[in-house]
């Protein structure tokens, strides 16, 4: 943009100064030159009596902790409602820990230092409903200190880069409706226990590296679950986790311990199988879902296919919707589709999206799908 036009649209220019007074959402990242100076100048020029959203994402530059702390304190004094801070180093001001207007808080660290909360820092966030945290060392001391100060929290997302040597984590949160737990990796070979006492929880996500055993004390309201495990130290941990959520109506899976016997998901009507699935394992899995109605398969992993000599009950009696995404037309894709389509007796809707195929290839494979259906 030519300089003369850039000046005209600057938030600090005379033409924009009046409009700038009505801006309530502030969003900064580090793609600009000297972003710290930009934030300082913007806050100095801010004329509104409140700010709705204050977001700072600096993953490439190391903003001084005192500087970030002063920005957060400024937002708190203007009764901020949503605060989203992702930086390399961070020290939260005490004013944030007792903010009466905050409804959503997101904290993320690109570095390993987190010098902010401890037992001597009481938290009282009476309006906070959404908490999203990404932490490194001693994360649960920090996270639970925040959680315990949020009496109406409904949505919690916790990503742990390194959990240290903690052994027991109990989530006793009666107001919680959505919980997302992600473990990036484990530096030490530590196994711990996660206890869930969340009677109003409706959605649960567990992802990353699984090294924890789960104890489900109360998941009586759980409707939907998603398990996206990259690796696990013990497949029995995953089986136990699946047993604890076997009553859900909707399930998304990205890892299948095929040598383990899975529980029966008698209430599940919607199943989503994401990346890395071997087509030959899918019939075995579907046998554990007797009432399945909707099946979504995303880009199966290449493998040899052997047409099973049996058909799971759900394929014949209850499967009404099939969605197959990122299909590339390879033999194992087509054989799996052929098996499903020829055996699905109550199927009503089929949706297939193709990946990296020319128009003529798509037409040819679509004709094959039609033949599979006609053969039934």
């Amino acid at each position: 943009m030519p300089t003369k036009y850039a000046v005209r649209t600057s938030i600090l220019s005379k033409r924009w100064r009046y409009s700038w007074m009505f801006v309530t959402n502030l969003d900064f990242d580090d793609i600009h030159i000297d972003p710290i100076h930009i934030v300082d100048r913007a806050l100095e020029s801010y004329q509104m009596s409140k700010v709705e959203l204050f977001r700072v994402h600096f993953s490439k530059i190391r903003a001084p902790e005192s500087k970030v702390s002063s920005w957060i304190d400024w937002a708190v004094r203007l009764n901020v409602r949503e605060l989203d801070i992702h930086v390399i180093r961070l020290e939260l001001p005490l004013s944030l820990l007792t903010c009466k207007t905050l409804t959503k808080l997101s904290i993320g660290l690109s570095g390993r230092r987190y010098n902010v909360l401890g037992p001597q820092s009481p938290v009282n966030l009476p309006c906070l409903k959404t908490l999203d945290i990404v932490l490194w060392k001693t994360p649960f001391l920090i996270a639970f200190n925040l959680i315990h100060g949020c009496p109406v929290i409904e949505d919690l997302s916790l990503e742990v880069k390194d959990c240290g040597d903690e052994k027991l984590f109990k989530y006793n949160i009666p107001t919680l409706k959505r919980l997302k737990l992600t473990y990036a990796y484990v530096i030490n070979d530590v196994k711990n226990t996660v206890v869930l006492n969340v009677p109003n929880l409706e959605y649960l996500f567990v992802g990353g590296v699984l090294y924890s055993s789960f104890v489900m004390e109360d998941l009586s309201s759980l409707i939907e679950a998603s398990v996206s495990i990259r690796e696990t130290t013990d497949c029995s941990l995953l089986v136990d986790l699946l047993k604890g959520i076997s009553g859900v109506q909707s399930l998304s899976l990205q890892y299948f311990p095929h040598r383990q016997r899975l529980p029966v998901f008698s209430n599940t009507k919607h199943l989503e199988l994401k990346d890395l699935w071997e087509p030959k394992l899918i019939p075995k899995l579907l046998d554990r879902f007797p009432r399945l109605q909707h099946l979504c398969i995303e880009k199966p992993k290449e493998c040899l296919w052997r047409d099973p000599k049996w058909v799971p009950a759900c394929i014949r009696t209850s499967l009404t919707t099939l969605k197959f995404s990122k299909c590339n037309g390879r033999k194992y894709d087509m054989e799996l589709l052929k098996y499903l389509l020829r055996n699905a007796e109550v199927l009503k809707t089929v949706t297939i999206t193709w990946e990296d195929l020319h128009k003529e290839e798509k037409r040819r494979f679509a004709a094959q799908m039609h033949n599979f259906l006609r053969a039934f």
Side-chain angles (χ1 to χ4, degrees), residues 327-342:
C327 181
N328 55 25
R330 294 180 181 177
K331 183 177 180 180
Y332 60 90
D333 278 349
M334 305 307 289
E335 291 294 339
L336 173 60
L337 282 168
K338 181 179 179 181
Y339 170 80
L340 293 172
L341 295 177
R342 285 190 169 179

Side-chain angles (χ1 to χ4, degrees), residues 12-204:
L12 305 180
S13 67
K14 292 181 180 180
R15 182 177 177 181
W16 275 68
R17 195 162 294 169
Y18 181 76
S19 299
W20 176 233
M21 294 176 64
F22 297 96
V23 174
T24 58
N25 293 354
L26 303 180
D27 189 337
F28 303 96
D29 55 40
D30 53 9
I31 64 173
H32 306 289
I33 298 175
D34 197 3
I36 296 176
H37 178 67
I38 290 177
V39 177
D40 284 337
R41 291 293 304 277
L43 301 191
E44 288 173 5
S45 305
Y46 196 76
Q47 300 296 322
M48 290 289 288
S49 59
K50 68 176 182 178
V51 58
E52 294 286 333
L53 166 66
F54 184 63
R55 178 183 179 273
V56 176
H57 279 217
F58 288 174
S59 60
K60 298 178 182 178
I61 65 167
R62 182 168 296 183
E65 295 173 51
S66 59
K67 180 71 70 174
V68 178
S69 181
S70 67
W71 295 340
I72 297 173
D73 184 67
W74 172 89
V76 170
R77 285 187 278 108
L78 289 186
N79 298 319
V80 64
R81 293 176 59 84
E82 297 185 21
L83 187 63
D84 186 349
I85 305 294
H86 284 229
V87 292
I88 295 177
R89 291 184 176 181
L90 177 63
E91 183 172 355
L92 298 179
L94 291 177
S95 60
L96 175 67
L97 306 183
T98 56
C99 182
K100 307 300 182 184
T101 59
L102 198 63
T103 61
K104 184 176 181 179
L105 175 60
S106 180
I107 301 173
L109 293 179
S110 302
R112 293 173 179 249
R113 183 178 177 185
Y114 200 102
N115 180 22
V116 51
L117 294 174
Q120 303 305 315
S121 302
V123 178
N124 181 23
L125 301 173
C127 296
L128 192 76
K129 292 188 175 181
T130 302
L131 180 61
D132 185 348
I133 319 175
V134 181
L135 300 177
W136 283 87
K137 291 289 187 180
T138 61
F140 294 97
L141 174 64
I142 299 164
F144 281 100
N145 196 18
L146 280 170
I147 293 168
H148 292 157
C150 305
V152 296
I153 187 170
E154 295 181 357
D155 191 336
L156 172 62
S157 177
L158 178 60
E159 180 178 347
V160 180
K161 301 293 187 180
D162 173 22
C163 76
D165 57 356
E166 288 92 343
K167 299 297 183 183
L168 176 65
F169 314 107
K170 187 166 185 176
Y171 295 83
N172 186 8
I173 314 173
T175 59
L176 202 63
K177 294 182 178 180
R178 294 178 61 87
L179 175 60
K180 183 176 180 180
L181 300 175
T182 306
Y183 302 94
Y185 57 82
V186 183
I187 295 178
N188 300 317
D189 188 15
V190 177
K191 289 185 179 181
N192 54 45
T193 302
V194 175
V195 180
L196 297 181
N197 183 15
V198 279
N200 289 302
L201 194 71
E202 299 174 357
Y203 173 78
L204 173 65

